[in-house]
Amino acid sequence: MIADPPHIDVGAYALGLLEEPDRRAFEAHLPACPSCHDELGMLRGIARTLDGIAPIAEPADAMPVPPEPAVVSDLLRHRAGRRRRHRAARALAAAAAGVVLLGGALGTGFTLGADRGTSASPPAGQDDGTAALLRDGRRVSATDAGTGVSGTVAVQPKAWGSRIGMELSRVRGPLECELVAVDERGSAHTVVGWSVPARGYGLPGSPQPRLALQGGTALRPDEIARFEVRTIGAGRTLLTVPA
């Protein structure tokens, strides 16, 4: 009885290099193996490409030496593995970029015009996810005696790190600010950045009583020592919120 072929037979099968017993065994194995099925689809494209490449002219007295099936199969297996790793890396990078873009978009594009402690719905076109995070996440509030800035930070654990929501008031503008998560070693990790209009937030004459936004960090909640609201450029700390 012929044993199930190893997965590396995919390359040899795609190139038509398997002997008849091995070919039949591989074809019997293929329907039950999704990984071999996916890899075969990729390698068939490579095989068609190789078929279109003209051979290098050999000297008249040289004997052609066909490639060893095991060598070709091994090369194709490694190439397929590299492509799978590259696809996974691109997917991970895209996911990380999505988190950063989400934080940036919410930081610059959304403000909440009502006190989120009330039961009123957010105005049309504004994000309700930040309000839910501030309501349901682990919350910590603080006020800076020097700057007068007051804020609340909520943390929600995620598989990729931590989702962070923040409410901020009594901020004077114009400023450009950022929220950073500071780890136990003192390293700062940017969560989200935004701009403060000239009339600020939560001050007499301010158009909005508070700013609400969200972002994310790769740090887990237990790796965060504190949060800081800093001015961009000068690096002045407006508010520190313990984690």
Side-chain angles (χ1 to χ4, degrees):
M1 182 178 66
I2 299 174
D4 286 341
H7 294 289
I8 61 173
D9 281 352
V10 180
Y13 181 82
L15 293 175
L17 300 175
L18 288 179
E19 297 293 336
E20 184 63 20
D22 292 333
R23 183 185 63 80
R24 289 197 302 269
F26 180 80
E27 288 176 347
H29 162 83
L30 185 61
C33 183
S35 62
C36 283
H37 187 275
D38 293 342
E39 188 169 352
L40 178 61
M42 180 189 302
L43 296 184
R44 275 177 169 162
I46 297 173
R48 286 194 295 269
T49 301
L50 294 176
D51 286 342
I53 300 175
I56 299 173
E58 295 283 351
D61 58 347
M63 294 295 292
V65 179
E68 290 290 337
V71 174
V72 176
S73 177
D74 189 57
L75 289 174
L76 290 174
R77 178 170 56 85
H78 283 291
R79 180 183 296 179
R82 287 196 302 271
R83 290 189 176 185
R84 285 196 297 270
R85 288 192 296 272
H86 290 165
R87 285 199 303 271
R90 286 195 299 268
L92 181 60
V99 171
V100 173
L101 289 174
L102 172 64
L106 292 172
T108 58
F110 294 100
T111 58
L112 300 183
D115 188 336
R116 305 316 304 162
T118 68
S119 59
S121 299
Q126 293 187 345
D127 176 68
D128 193 33
T130 305
L133 176 57
L134 287 164
R135 182 182 64 246
D136 302 332
R138 181 168 60 85
R139 298 161 49 100
V140 181
S141 300
T143 300
D144 188 283
T147 64
V149 175
S150 177
T152 298
V153 176
V155 182
Q156 187 178 70
K158 292 291 183 180
W160 42 262
S162 300
R163 182 182 174 208
I164 310 298
M166 184 184 69
E167 256 185 6
L168 204 63
S169 63
R170 301 177 65 187
V171 186
R172 299 183 182 278
L175 288 174
E176 290 187 353
C177 300
E178 62 180 352
L179 175 66
V180 300
V182 182
D183 63 25
E184 297 291 347
R185 298 186 301 274
S187 299
H189 305 257
T190 299
V191 174
V192 65
W194 67 95
S195 62
V196 180
R199 290 189 290 174
Y201 293 104
L203 297 170
S206 297
Q208 303 291 345
R210 66 194 68 239
L211 169 71
L213 47 81
Q214 66 172 298
T217 175
L219 295 174
R220 299 189 307 272
D222 60 355
E223 295 176 320
I224 303 172
R226 65 185 183 277
F227 294 96
E228 294 182 1
V229 176
R230 299 177 179 178
T231 59
I232 297 176
R236 185 165 61 98
T237 300
L238 301 179
L239 177 67
T240 300
V241 182

